[in-house]
Amino acid sequence: MIKLRPKQFLVFMLLGLLSVALFFIDVAFGSVKIPFQEFYSTIISHDPASVWFTTLFEFRFPKAWVAVFTGAALAVSGLQMQTLFKNPLAGPYILGISSGSSLGVALLVLGFPVIFGMQVPFLISQWAIVFASWIGAAAILLLIMVVSIRIKDIMTILVFGIMFGSAATALVSVMQYYGSDASVKAFVIWTLGSLGGVTNHQLSVFIPSILAGLGIALVLPKSLNVMLLGENYARSMGLHVNFIRTLIFISTSLLAGSVTAFCGPIGFIGIAVPHIARMLFRTSDHFILVPASILIGVNLMILSDIISQLPGNGMVLPINSITALLGIPVVIWIIIRNQRLTSLF
Amino acid sequence: MDSMIPKSVIETKGLTIGYAKRNTVKSLCAEINVEAKQGELIALIGSNGIGKSTLIKTLCLIHPALGGQIRIDSKPASTFTRNDAAKSISLVSTELFRSNNLKVGDLVGLGRYPHGNWFAPLNGQDQVIIQTALSDVGMTEFAHRPINELSDGEYQRVMIARAMAQDTPIVFLDEPTAFLDLSNKFIIFALLWRLTREQSKTVIFSTHDINIAMQFADVFWVMTQKGLQVGAPEDLLMDGTIEKLFAGSDVYFDAKSNQFRNRKSLNQSICLQGDGLEFQLTKLALERLGFFMDCNKPTNVSVKITKTVQKTCWELTKNGITYKCNSISELQQALR
């Protein structure tokens, strides 16, 4: 049984209510203005003949759902990275895992035509792209894992992550240079991906992938708690360190890989959200931190989406810039406030 | 009589420890044949880098042995699953974990991991065990404090409570008193001693605090490259095993005073007369200055301690001249 203090219960309730409110604000106030009366009647009647039906059900709702799952996925993968590497500054973006995903997709989209002499068939392309993205994420994760066995220093690992990420990005640029016009165009379109780029059809790939990753994360809290103490302690308490690591590994690859596959690299949600969760709930218990990170991630991502469509007139700001502007101050504040970074857990 | 003999809880035969990397095998010490009995407090001593930590990890079954056998509770360790091992042996390692958010009670609760489902939260019975473990180490009132607010000594007691919550007959501790101040070293050793007596646990700890360990441990395991020498601390002192640990260094262990001493050349003889505590303390001070006590040899330096009700006086006779000193400090200055 998980015991919540009254204050923690209250914060959970507030976050839950806030996310529902933000979700509807996100749907109601898009980049194109919909009069409230018509917004309300279209949602209630669900009438395909309505003027706003397509805008709402083909674009706004899918986009809002993508924001929900993206936020949850990035937050949980960030939390898992931080505990796995015992590194409070870890996250899927900063460790280069998102760049690994890009590399995976580039290899597929740019490399496939070279090898097979044809474009990736559209029917298999959605799953193929996600799959390539997972593999790319997993490859970078594996590299960092190998390095972290030998090097324990937090900062060195981060530098390696940044290096791996940059190397992956550089490789992608080289491949773009040599790619055929058609495949480069396909790849560039992919890299421009945003929350709004995901169609209803793609959601049927995106959501199950994220749910699978979150599902694994939801059985891990007890093990993650034990992992905090360090490897020797974890083993001595009967934890199968390699098994748990593999599960974290699969979960993170699914989460960060899927997000990158559909929305492009989105930074700073993964690193900032777990810290906000720790501060709000004053705990290091993953039974609380995992759901808390999910809720905070969802809220922050929807908020970013709302901000991104503020300019109106059909303009949408790049989502990656918004999350960076929201996340970076949190990260800086965390670093300044805590001289001893290792105490952040 | 048979039932009076405590049972063996951990036993090794021809155990070799070290690291195997690709094709190279680095063995740390000769074959180890040793046995630990129920309720024993065992101190593992040996110089830095000799492999005490590796031995502890190997016996905890979290590091593979290079060869030989380990038997836990008379059963071969190879038949133990990781979870079985965690129910028999707990470890207090040197890994430090500091956190602003982790509460003492929750940290102790982590010890319940092997006893429950690997994904289910703790239940009411676990909570009772956590409370008992905290009271075992005298930290009950700290249950809701974050571990970052603990002193080093308190932290170590909490880590021992975590091992208690794991509820294992065997507890290993890797240098539990390193970084602690003197009084905390005593508190920790006394606590471990109490656990062996009151709960019949077998507690094995590595340490460099030989003089303190001597006052609590039933058995010393002295680790050298030739293997493990086992015996009562006093036996190992008598046969010179402990002496050998410090061979070649300026430090030696003085069995009579149960203290480490600096091996200095005591090149001048002095005749000291007096009795009681003053005599002992004056002797210590004179030895520090390089004198050895000898009243049989003719010497030109002598000290006589005279005590009256009001004060103690040290009469120093040096080359026929007598000085009166009112403290050891004055005596020191007069001798220099």
Side-chain angles (χ1 to χ4, degrees), chain A residues 1-2 86 219 222-223 225-226 228-233 235-240 244 278 282-284 287 338 340 342-345, chain B residues 57 62 82 86 89 91-93 95 97-103 107 110-111 113-114 116-122 148 159 162 166:
Chain A
M1 202 189 68
I2 306 157
K86 288 193 77 179
V219 297
K222 197 172 184 180
S223 307
N225 285 344
V226 172
L228 275 181
L229 283 188
E231 212 175 299
N232 287 334
Y233 272 121
R235 279 185 214 281
S236 80
M237 282 187 249
L239 186 118
H240 292 267
I244 296 298
R278 289 187 192 100
R282 293 248 144 257
T283 185
S284 61
F287 278 110
N338 293 274
R340 255 170 54 194
T342 45
S343 297
L344 278 168
F345 287 103
Chain B
K57 281 190 219 165
I62 61 173
R82 174 131 280 158
I89 306 167
L91 168 70
V92 176
S93 99
E95 286 169 308
F97 176 65
R98 292 302 203 177
S99 162
N100 294 330
N101 299 312
L102 184 61
K103 306 276 187 300
L107 171 61
L110 295 179
Y113 186 82
N117 225 310
W118 67 278
F119 50 82
L122 301 181
N148 245 6
M159 291 318 271
R162 191 212 55 77
Q166 201 172 330

Side-chain angles (χ1 to χ4, degrees), chain A residues 53-224:
Chain A
F53 184 85
T54 312
T55 313
L56 282 175
F57 289 98
E58 293 288 317
F59 293 103
R60 293 220 185 148
F61 272 107
K63 186 159 79 105
W65 281 118
V66 171
V68 167
F69 284 96
T70 300
L74 291 175
V76 170
S77 68
L79 177 64
Q80 292 185 139
M81 290 296 90
Q82 292 179 3
T83 301
L84 177 68
F85 293 113
K86 288 193 77 179
N87 189 333
L89 296 179
Y93 186 70
I94 205 155
L95 289 178
I97 295 163
S98 305
S99 308
S101 287
S102 306
L103 180 61
V105 176
L107 279 171
L108 177 79
V109 176
L110 302 174
F112 189 89
V114 176
I115 300 164
F116 296 98
M118 59 186 257
Q119 295 294 318
V120 184
F122 184 77
L123 272 179
I124 62 152
S125 66
Q126 291 315 317
W127 278 106
I129 283 181
V130 184
F131 204 73
S133 187
W134 293 339
I135 303 280
I140 297 283
L141 251 178
L142 195 68
L143 269 175
I144 296 169
M145 207 106 105
V146 169
V147 172
S148 70
I149 291 168
R150 289 183 161 249
I151 300 162
K152 300 285 176 204
D153 184 62
I154 288 176
M155 292 304 162
T156 316
I157 297 291
L158 288 184
V159 171
F160 268 99
I162 293 164
M163 295 291 167
F164 289 148
S166 305
T169 312
L171 278 175
V172 170
S173 307
V174 171
M175 284 189 326
Q176 269 178 290
Y177 188 79
Y178 285 106
S180 70
D181 284 354
S183 52
V184 167
K185 194 179 162 205
F187 182 75
V188 169
I189 289 171
W190 176 81
T191 57
L192 292 177
S194 64
L195 298 184
V198 185
T199 63
N200 268 328
H201 171 69
Q202 289 170 320
L203 274 187
S204 62
V205 176
F206 183 69
I207 292 179
S209 311
I210 303 283
L211 285 180
L214 291 179
I216 297 175
L218 286 174
V219 297
L220 286 177
K222 197 172 184 180
S223 307
L224 289 174

Side-chain angles (χ1 to χ4, degrees), chain B residues 43-46 52 175-186 188-189 205-217 220 233 242 245-246 253 258-260:
Chain B
L44 172 61
I45 60 178
K52 296 192 294 294
E175 300 208 16
T177 56
F179 312 115
L180 295 189
D181 59 38
L182 197 58
S183 67
N184 272 306
K185 286 179 200 280
F186 271 92
I188 295 293
F189 283 146
F205 62 93
S206 63
T207 187
H208 289 290
D209 298 309
I210 297 178
N211 49 342
I212 313 175
M214 188 84 80
Q215 298 172 45
F216 293 97
F220 266 19
I242 291 174
L245 274 183
F246 305 99
F253 191 79
N258 187 21
Q259 273 193 8
F260 287 101

Side-chain angles (χ1 to χ4, degrees), chain B residues 61-131:
Chain B
L61 313 182
I62 61 173
H63 181 83
L66 289 182
Q69 270 190 1
I70 303 172
R71 293 173 83 83
I72 311 286
D73 209 8
S74 318
K75 293 184 285 281
S78 52
T79 63
F80 279 60
T81 65
R82 174 131 280 158
N83 205 54
D84 292 337
K87 284 178 181 171
S88 303
I89 306 167
S90 54
L91 168 70
V92 176
S93 99
T94 48
E95 286 169 308
L96 265 182
F97 176 65
R98 292 302 203 177
S99 162
N100 294 330
N101 299 312
L102 184 61
K103 306 276 187 300
V104 166
D106 294 334
L107 171 61
V108 174
L110 295 179
R112 298 304 298 159
Y113 186 82
H115 294 275
N117 225 310
W118 67 278
F119 50 82
L122 301 181
N123 59 34
Q125 197 204 337
D126 291 324
Q127 298 300 337
V128 175
I129 292 168
I130 293 169
Q131 285 309 315

